[in-house]
Amino acid sequence: MATGLRPAPPCTFVIFGAAGDLTKRKLLPALYNLKAAGLLPRRFAIVGVTRKEKTHEEFREEQTKDIHEFATQRIDEALWDELRGCLYYQAGEFTDPSTWPPLPNSSGRS
């Protein structure tokens, strides 16, 4: 863990437009780096939101491919597996209230 820094409290991080370039090139590598530095909480969830229908597992597979392409450091597979397990997916429009059913909480349960 980085000296003098502590992990954030339990939380859910929502990424709108999660299929985009910003997510794969910047956001996901930055979140991985925070995980590697011990700065993400143990109870943490990342919810990706886009219009296309897909499963949590399909989203995780896409993000796994992308992190291996765009990571800024060597990927520790055990560490990635932990972060990968925090990934969830929600299809829908940002302005449509039906997009927001109960989202997974930081313990991974809905």
Side-chain angles (χ1 to χ4, degrees):
M1 180 182 310
T3 306
L5 300 176
R6 294 180 292 144
C11 62
T12 299
F13 189 89
V14 180
I15 302 172
F16 299 99
D21 225 32
L22 179 64
T23 299
K24 67 182 173 184
R25 292 180 183 270
K26 300 293 182 183
L27 296 177
L28 198 61
L31 289 166
Y32 176 82
N33 291 345
L34 289 171
K35 177 76 172 169
L39 295 173
L40 288 184
R42 206 177 82 199
R43 292 184 3 211
F44 182 69
I46 301 167
V47 179
V49 180
T50 69
R51 294 180 184 122
K52 184 179 176 187
E53 290 290 333
K54 64 180 86 174
T55 66
H56 298 307
E57 191 55 36
E58 288 170 327
F59 181 63
R60 291 173 180 141
E61 298 268 334
E62 291 170 3
Q63 299 311 307
T64 296
K65 178 186 154 292
D66 291 341
I67 195 66
H68 284 88
E69 183 175 352
F70 297 106
T72 60
Q73 61 179 292
R74 187 184 143 281
I75 297 295
D76 174 319
E77 294 302 326
L79 195 61
W80 171 248
D81 284 346
E82 287 178 29
L83 189 58
R84 185 183 191 278
C86 297
L87 295 171
Y88 298 91
Y89 183 77
Q90 179 62 48
E93 293 282 338
F94 172 69
T95 57
D96 181 357
S98 69
T99 298
W100 311 110
L103 292 172
N105 64 32
S106 57
S107 69
R109 295 181 299 258
S110 297

